[in-house]
Amino acid sequence: MAILKDDTSYTHVIAIDFGTGASGYGIAPMLVEAGQKPRIEVFNPCDDLDDQKTSTAILFDDEGNFLAFGTHALQRYAEILDDEESALLFQSYKMHLLHMDENAVSLDARELPLMKVISESLKYIADKAVEKLTEQIGKVINSKIRWVLTVPALWGEDHKQFMRKAAMNAGIIDSLNSPNLLLSLEPEGASIQCREDAEENIRNSLDKDKIVMVLDCGGGTVDITVHKLMCEPEENFLCEEFLPSSGGCEWGSKYVDAHFEKFLEKLFGEELYADYRRNALARLEILKHFEMLKRKFNPGKEERSRLQLSYLGDDLSSSRLKELIEEWNSNIPDPLIQLKKRGASGIDIPPTLMKSFFEPLFEKITEKVNELMQESVSSKGEEINFIFMVGGFSESPYLKAVIKETFEREDLHILVPRRPQVSVIRGACLFGINPRSITSRISKKTYGINTLTTFDPEKHPEEKKVIIEGEEF
């Protein structure tokens, strides 16, 4: 266990948000001038111009040597396949850690040790962060950096220990218990960020004793924490855990993709779907196209979701696609989920069918939120006042609409930060500056000790007596 070191020992915080679908890092100086907000900068490890995070993807050559990370890995992999060569591309591999799998599985079904895959990912991001900080301040002394790694609140101690070991293998820390590495629970960090970065009118309504739920919807997990504010709006952030952290481990946006691929399996049939799974480049491009449709989908607002399937090339001719659509429509009489062919290789996915990819996840999320709202009243006698939606999945217009429609009322406000995808990184930086902002957590487990005393008929009721190895207790 790491011992919290004096904050004055550090000059900067570097926070790494290693996510299932996307990753990034933030840098903040420890020194915050009186009356000023901390200066936090969020960066994309691949320096992409369009976002502050990059895809969580990593590429190794056939011998297991690191080649590239993020969008660079995706681009390099496409080039390798075009040259009819091979490499190991890993995506969504953080989910292997959830199940404590020994190996991660690449897109072409080969394996490497999960520790190696995650350690190399952290090393790439950490190296980029140190490089960026060096550009800003000159020489960087690692012992003066407080590192923060974000982890889901649902993870157990074995998962957290794995991440510490991965950070050590990546060269971020020298030992497992190094004091300059903190683990920040993702929704806890977001809770800090939501208060600190809120508009003035919102911040002023976040009074002491208000109950705040943070709904952190990411690529793999949906983490939920409920906090009670222990500070007034003008004071430094302080809160305590009000209900135990909860959520679901397979409720994130990547599982919308999983439901979409189940649809493709039904549409394509066994043989063509097997070709689709083998054609790694085509699958990457189709999922990338679906990602764009998924991000903007909002029933009633964006009626047309046109999917391009040309990436399959000769495996799916225009005439074959027409046959598949006709077969689908003949087997599915409901006109609301029938398909239309567009051009030589496109299909229009109707809104009802698109909704079906999201709804199994939304049912689990809304059920859990409702359960926690009831528990807040039944066990604590207090109602939740705010729900903050953070994480990349919270950028979905459809998810936002469902949560607002289901839960928003006059005394319960649903709020989404301007950039929910980077709330966790910014919050992790704030947690690194002041780790004492979370005053208490509710233990997930407790210890009990069973004791027995010698049975005394003058003191003890007969019905409570037990006999063990001939002795009365």
Side-chain angles (χ1 to χ4, degrees):
M1 179 180 175
I3 304 299
L4 199 60
K5 202 171 167 184
D6 186 355
D7 293 344
T8 58
S9 303
Y10 304 105
T11 60
H12 288 80
V13 171
I14 297 179
I16 296 176
D17 181 20
F18 169 64
T20 303
S23 296
Y25 68 90
I27 297 175
M30 285 289 293
L31 182 63
V32 181
E33 293 183 16
Q36 298 296 312
K37 285 188 174 183
R39 183 169 57 84
I40 300 169
E41 295 180 281
V42 177
F43 297 97
N44 181 320
C46 293
D47 295 323
D48 299 330
L49 298 176
D50 61 338
D51 214 339
Q52 288 178 293
K53 295 175 88 173
T54 192
S55 298
T56 302
I58 191 167
L59 186 68
F60 295 86
D61 66 18
D62 291 333
E63 283 70 49
N65 299 308
F66 171 78
L67 291 178
F69 180 81
T71 52
H72 296 166
L74 299 176
Q75 292 160 3
R76 183 92 174 265
Y77 188 57
E79 292 166 2
I80 287 171
L81 294 181
D82 280 343
D83 293 337
E84 299 184 347
E85 296 175 356
S86 63
L88 292 86
L89 180 72
F90 295 88
Q91 292 182 290
S92 302
Y93 47 95
K94 185 178 175 183
M95 296 311 296
H96 287 293
L97 180 52
L98 167 65
H99 304 293
M100 292 303 288
D101 296 331
E102 188 174 332
N103 293 327
V105 182
S106 70
L107 217 59
D108 61 1
R110 290 185 283 170
E111 296 184 1
L112 281 179
L114 182 61
M115 179 60 75
K116 176 184 178 71
V117 175
I118 291 182
S119 296
E120 289 287 0
S121 302
L122 295 180
K123 183 178 187 306
Y124 179 87
I125 300 171
D127 288 349
K128 288 292 181 181
V130 170
E131 188 181 303
K132 180 64 72 174
L133 184 57
T134 303
E135 288 177 9
Q136 295 178 347
I137 67 169
K139 186 178 179 181
V140 172
I141 302 171
N142 194 47
S143 62
K144 295 288 187 182
I145 303 302
R146 170 175 276 165
W147 292 89
V148 182
L149 276 182
T150 65
V151 294
L154 292 169
W155 276 7
E157 296 307 312
D158 49 350
H159 301 98
K160 295 172 187 175
Q161 190 73 353
F162 183 103
M163 290 302 289
R164 278 196 163 271
K165 189 172 181 183
M168 186 175 72
N169 292 346
I172 294 173
I173 53 175
D174 297 326
S175 65
L176 279 177
N177 295 323
S178 178
N180 65 324
L181 173 65
L182 299 179
L183 300 183
S184 169
L185 302 187
E186 290 165 2
E188 281 191 352
S191 179
I192 303 169
Q193 180 272 333
C194 287
R195 208 288 295 246
E196 294 304 288
D197 289 352
E199 297 292 334
E200 189 175 353
N201 62 320
I202 299 297
R203 182 175 172 131
N204 288 339
S205 63
L206 291 166
D207 304 316
K208 187 176 181 180
D209 295 329
K210 286 284 174 69
I211 311 299
V212 177
M213 174 185 288
V214 176
L215 191 58
D216 178 12
C217 304
T221 61
V222 171
D223 270 352
I224 308 173
T225 56
V226 182
H227 289 142
K228 185 171 192 173
L229 297 179
M230 307 299 291
C231 57
E232 296 295 353
E234 70 278 2
E235 295 175 337
N236 288 335
F237 183 84
L238 212 61
C239 75
E240 65 178 16
E241 195 170 45
F242 188 67
L243 296 175
S245 57
S246 58
C249 291
E250 297 180 345
W251 299 0
S253 62
K254 287 295 175 184
Y255 295 94
V256 178
D257 299 0
H259 289 293
F260 164 68
E261 289 199 305
K262 285 179 184 175
F263 153 71
L264 287 184
E265 187 175 8
K266 290 179 184 175
L267 174 65
F268 287 166
E270 186 177 339
E271 188 177 335
L272 180 57
Y273 187 72
D275 290 339
Y276 160 80
R277 296 283 298 192
R278 278 192 296 267
N279 190 337
L281 185 56
R283 187 182 177 204
L284 270 176
E285 292 297 335
I286 289 170
L287 287 173
K288 193 165 140 188
H289 196 158
F290 177 71
E291 181 71 22
M292 291 190 293
L293 300 179
K294 181 176 75 175
R295 286 189 180 194
K296 69 177 183 176
F297 178 67
N298 193 6
K301 300 288 177 68
E302 181 59 58
E303 290 297 325
R304 186 175 71 178
S305 296
R306 182 168 295 178
L307 180 71
Q308 187 55 248
L309 298 171
S310 60
Y311 310 106
L312 284 164
D314 295 339
D315 288 334
L316 184 61
S317 64
S318 181
S319 58
R320 179 64 181 136
L321 178 59
K322 184 180 178 183
E323 290 171 9
L324 292 174
I325 290 173
E326 288 173 353
E327 187 179 342
W328 171 277
N329 290 342
S330 66
N331 292 331
I332 310 286
D334 186 349
L336 293 177
I337 53 176
Q338 292 198 336
L339 304 173
K340 290 181 181 177
K341 184 171 181 285
R342 297 295 184 187
S345 56
I347 57 172
D348 273 354
I349 304 177
T352 302
L353 183 56
M354 277 292 287
K355 285 168 68 176
S356 72
F357 306 149
F358 292 82
E359 284 170 346
L361 307 175
F362 289 2
E363 286 173 12
K364 294 173 183 175
I365 295 169
T366 53
E367 184 180 336
K368 175 53 75 172
V369 170
N370 190 53
E371 179 189 314
L372 290 170
M373 289 175 65
Q374 291 180 14
E375 185 182 347
S376 176
V377 174
S378 63
S379 69
K380 302 283 190 174
E382 297 186 62
E383 293 192 343
I384 291 169
N385 308 113
F386 294 89
I387 296 178
F388 283 106
M389 295 180 65
V390 301
F393 199 12
S394 290
E395 294 189 353
S396 161
Y398 187 20
L399 177 56
K400 285 189 280 190
V402 166
I403 297 297
K404 282 178 176 284
E405 184 181 323
T406 308
F407 298 109
E408 194 162 47
R409 55 179 191 258
E410 190 173 340
D411 58 347
L412 176 58
H413 306 284
I414 315 293
L415 301 169
V416 186
R418 188 168 55 88
R419 292 298 310 277
Q421 190 183 32
V422 298
S423 290
V424 169
I425 303 180
R426 291 183 61 81
C429 285
L430 291 165
F431 178 72
I433 293 169
N434 181 18
R436 297 166 182 83
S437 54
I438 309 293
T439 62
S440 66
R441 297 189 180 103
I442 299 170
S443 176
K444 293 182 185 294
K445 296 181 181 179
T446 58
Y447 289 94
I449 299 173
N450 187 22
T451 62
L452 294 171
T453 188
T454 302
F455 180 75
D456 182 344
E458 294 184 3
K459 295 181 182 177
H460 305 135
E462 185 71 22
E463 64 270 16
K464 298 286 186 180
K465 182 175 72 174
V466 294
I467 300 175
I468 302 174
E469 296 181 353
E471 191 172 349
E472 296 180 345
F473 294 94

